[in-house]
Amino acid sequence: MHYLYLAVIAAVILGITVGFAFPEFAANLKPLGSGFVDLIKMMISPIIFCTIVLGIGSVAKAAKVGKVGLLALSYFLVMSTFALAIGLIVGNILHPGEGMRLDPDDVAAVQEQASEGEGTVDFLLGIIPESLVSAFTDGSVLQTLLVALLTGFALQKLGRVGEPVLRGIEHLQRLVFRILAMIMWAAPVGAFGAIAAVVGETGWDALKSLAVIMVGFYLTCLLFVFLVLGAVLWFGARMNVFKLLGYLGREFLLIVSTSSSESALPRLIAKMEHLGVSKPVVGITVPTGYSFNLDGTAIYLTMATLFIATAQGSPLGIGEQISLLVFMVIASKGAAGVSGAGIATLAGGLQSHRPELVDGVGFILGIDRFMSEARALTNFAGNAIATVVIGSWTKEFDRDQADRVFAGQDPFNEATLVDDHQPATEPEREPVRA
C-alpha cells in the first residue's frame, strides 16, 4: 500500500504534465477521474450505515448518542460562523474582482446552475428516503444517516435479541472495507485522469487572470485550518494539529487528486477509530460533519460573493453580506463531498437574493475546480479535528492509543481498513486435576 500512494503522486505529476503538453487530449481523460470517484461513492452508504449502526447499537443508553449529536451540531455551528467571519474579513481586505469581463458561455452555464438550486423545505424533505433501501441506491449521505440512526436505535431497544444482527453487520463492515481496499488500487489511474483533465481544460490564462482570489482563498483556508482549528484542537484535546494532519496525509493526497472530500470519507472513519475515538462518536460526528461542517465551503461562498459583487460594480453592504451568506451556508448542507457543488450553491443563493449578480458567477468558473480542492481539503481537516475534539469532550477518546499511533507503534492496517481494538482471546484450558 505504501507503493500505491507513491504511484498516486507520480500519477498526479504525470497528469499535470500531460495537461499542459496535450490539453485537448487531457480534457478527454476526465472519465478516468470521474469513474474512480464514482467507485468510492458506491461504498459511502454501506460504510456509513455499518459504522453508525455498530456505534449506536453498542451504546447502552440512547441519551448518550443524543448528547454526542447535539454537541457535534453546536460545534459545527460555531466553526461555520468563524469560517464565515474570516472569509468576510479577507474578502473585504483584498477587494478582488476589479476590472473583470464576463464570458457569454460562462454566463449561460451559471444560469443553468442557478435553476437547479433547491430551497430549505426541499432540502429537509429530501432527508427522508422513498423507502428503507432507497437511501443506499440514491447515494444520499443524509438519507443513509437517517436510516442508520433508526436501525441503530431499534437494535439498541432489542437488547440481547439484536446482538446476532450486530455481529452480522460487523462482518458486513469488514467485507465493505475489504472491497474499498481493492478499489484503492485504481487510485493512480483516477488521479491521473482527474488532474490531466483539470489542467487541460483550465490552462494558464484563467489562472493568471484570477490569481488574486485563488491565492487569497488558499491562504485563508490555511490560516483557518492551522490557526483557528489548530487552536481548537490544542485547547479541546491537547493534540498538535500537525501530528493529526500528518497522520491523514494519504487522505489529503487522495482529495487533491480527485478534488472531492467524499473520496476520503471511508478512510477517515476507519482512521479516526484506529486513532482511539470511540465508534459512536466517529459514527455520528463524521457523517454528520460531511453535511453540516462545511468550513471550506463557507469561506469559499463569502469570498466568491464579494468577488462577484465587486467585479460587477455592485459591492454588498455588511448586512447584505451576512444575510445572503447565512442563507448559502444553510443551502449548501449535504453538498460537501460533491465536486463542483460550491458553484451550484453560489448561483442558487445569488438567484434567490440578488438575481442581478448571478451572471457574475461566470467570473470564477475557470478556476472553480482548483478552488474546490481547497474547499474539500478544509472541510476534511475540519471534520477530522471535530471528531477528535468531540471525542475528547465526551471522554470517548483513548489518548494512549493516539500516542501509540503517532509514535508508529500501532500502524494503520491499510489492507483491511478495519480496526477492531480487541485483544486476541486466549484459548480455553482444561482444568488442572489434582
Side-chain angles (χ1 to χ4, degrees):
M1 298 300 290
H2 176 69
Y3 294 108
L4 170 62
Y5 286 91
L6 291 178
V8 171
I9 295 174
V12 170
I13 296 173
L14 180 61
I16 294 173
T17 304
V18 171
F20 282 125
F22 311 100
E24 293 184 4
F25 169 74
N28 295 324
L29 297 176
K30 189 174 183 178
L32 293 177
S34 301
F36 173 71
V37 173
D38 288 342
L39 283 172
I40 297 292
K41 288 182 178 180
M42 176 180 72
M43 309 305 298
I44 295 293
S45 290
I47 286 174
I48 289 177
F49 177 79
C50 292
T51 303
I52 293 177
V53 171
L54 290 174
I56 295 176
S58 60
V59 176
K61 295 182 179 180
K64 184 177 180 181
V65 177
K67 177 183 176 183
V68 172
L70 183 61
L71 185 60
L73 289 174
S74 301
Y75 173 91
F76 297 156
L77 179 62
V78 172
M79 285 298 104
S80 295
T81 303
F82 265 100
L84 277 170
I86 289 179
L88 285 175
I89 292 171
V90 174
N92 280 288
I93 292 174
L94 291 180
H95 296 292
E98 295 179 355
M100 299 294 295
R101 288 182 298 176
L102 277 174
D103 184 334
D105 293 335
D106 289 344
V107 171
V110 169
Q111 289 173 343
E112 182 180 351
Q113 293 266 22
S115 65
E116 297 174 358
E118 64 175 12
T120 305
V121 175
D122 294 331
F123 162 73
L124 293 174
L125 291 177
I127 298 175
I128 305 173
E130 293 183 5
S131 69
L132 198 63
V133 296
S134 66
F136 302 98
T137 57
D138 291 344
S140 170
V141 172
L142 288 178
Q143 289 183 2
T144 305
L145 182 63
L146 176 62
V147 173
L149 286 171
L150 293 173
T151 305
F153 285 124
L155 287 173
Q156 195 179 68
K157 291 293 184 181
L158 286 174
R160 294 181 62 86
V161 178
E163 287 183 3
V165 180
L166 280 176
R167 300 293 79 76
I169 294 176
E170 278 186 0
H171 293 302
L172 178 61
Q173 185 190 48
R174 291 188 177 92
L175 173 63
V176 170
F177 273 115
R178 176 65 72 172
I179 295 173
L180 178 65
M182 295 165 60
I183 291 174
M184 289 305 300
W185 285 100
V189 177
F192 169 73
I195 292 295
V198 171
V199 175
E201 291 174 351
T202 306
W204 284 110
D205 294 337
L207 299 183
K208 290 177 182 177
S209 63
L210 298 167
V212 174
I213 184 173
M214 192 168 70
V215 172
F217 177 60
Y218 268 80
L219 291 177
T220 304
C221 288
L222 288 173
L223 180 73
F224 181 79
V225 170
F226 290 105
L227 292 185
V228 178
L229 293 182
V232 170
L233 181 63
W234 175 253
F235 289 109
R238 293 297 174 185
M239 181 180 291
N240 188 305
V241 66
F242 293 100
K243 284 186 177 181
L244 178 61
L245 299 187
Y247 170 63
L248 299 170
R250 292 182 176 182
E251 287 66 43
F252 283 115
L253 174 60
L254 187 62
I255 292 171
V256 168
S257 61
T258 61
S259 194
S260 171
S261 60
E262 201 166 51
S263 61
L265 189 154
R267 290 179 57 88
L268 177 62
I269 290 174
K271 279 202 161 182
M272 288 295 98
E273 290 184 5
H274 177 69
L275 189 64
V277 184
S278 70
K279 281 181 178 291
V281 172
V282 174
I284 294 170
T285 306
V286 174
T288 307
Y290 260 68
S291 293
F292 293 95
N293 191 30
L294 310 180
D295 300 329
T297 304
I299 295 172
Y300 167 80
L301 292 173
T302 54
M303 295 189 66
T305 301
L306 294 178
F307 172 83
I308 291 167
T310 303
Q312 293 188 301
S314 180
L316 301 174
I318 295 298
E320 286 182 304
Q321 292 177 22
I322 294 174
S323 63
L324 173 60
L325 298 172
V326 167
F327 168 82
M328 286 184 177
V329 170
I330 295 173
S332 69
K333 303 309 182 189
V338 182
S339 180
I343 278 286
T345 302
L346 181 63
L350 288 173
Q351 177 68 37
S352 64
H353 279 65
R354 290 286 296 273
E356 71 275 13
L357 296 180
V358 173
D359 292 347
V361 180
F363 285 131
I364 60 174
L365 277 181
I367 59 164
D368 178 70
R369 183 60 183 265
F370 288 97
M371 296 178 75
S372 74
E373 291 183 352
R375 288 199 304 268
L377 291 169
T378 306
N379 290 338
F380 182 82
N383 284 317
I385 291 171
T387 305
V388 174
V389 170
I390 293 171
S392 178
W393 285 348
T394 56
K395 311 297 182 184
E396 295 287 326
F397 176 50
D398 187 346
R399 195 170 299 277
D400 292 335
Q401 169 66 12
D403 292 338
R404 287 192 296 271
V405 170
F406 290 144
Q409 299 172 359
D410 187 4
F412 180 69
N413 191 336
E414 294 282 355
T416 64
L417 306 182
V418 176
D419 188 72
D420 293 325
H421 281 307
Q422 294 177 354
T425 56
E426 295 184 1
E428 294 184 6
R429 298 177 181 177
E430 293 289 334
V432 179
R433 297 180 181 177

